[in-house]
Amino acid sequence: MPRPTAAQVAYGSCTVILSTLAMLLLSRTSSGLGIVVITLAALALGLLVALTVPMPKARPAEPSGARTAEAGQVRAQARVQARMRARAHREPVPAGVEPVRGPTAP
């Protein structure tokens, strides 16, 4: 059985407290049997409210660590292959020629 959420506990507790107070004030009972009946009715009402509060929806399953690692390896391999293709398509630099650098400060 799933555990109650914080919202269910809060709604149920507030319902029990408020309905007990309301029924005791409206009925003006002072006998022990009347108080017990009102208390049991309030508990039943609080349980009903707590059970009717919508449960959170199930989250989709997280990918496993193996799948995440495989996806990372595939992305890393794709980056390496893209770099190799980019290097292969560059024009070769003739021997003895220095690469052009940005402006230098005087």
Side-chain angles (χ1 to χ4, degrees):
M1 183 172 159
R3 294 183 178 190
T5 62
Q8 288 174 314
V9 172
Y11 285 137
S13 299
C14 288
T15 302
V16 170
I17 293 167
L18 294 176
S19 62
T20 302
L21 289 174
M23 286 189 278
L24 285 173
L25 291 174
L26 291 174
S27 69
R28 294 184 184 170
T29 186
S30 59
S31 69
L33 182 61
I35 293 172
V36 169
V37 169
I38 288 173
T39 304
L40 291 176
L43 285 172
L45 186 61
L47 184 62
L48 179 68
V49 167
L51 291 177
T52 56
V53 172
M55 293 288 287
K57 297 187 180 189
R59 296 179 184 172
E62 295 286 329
S64 68
R67 290 182 186 170
T68 306
E70 287 177 12
Q73 289 175 352
V74 169
R75 286 191 298 266
Q77 288 174 353
R79 284 193 301 265
V80 169
Q81 290 174 354
R83 287 184 198 142
M84 291 176 71
R85 281 193 300 269
R87 287 181 186 164
H89 292 295
R90 290 186 199 158
E91 293 183 20
V93 178
V97 175
E98 298 260 338
V100 177
R101 298 181 192 240
T104 57

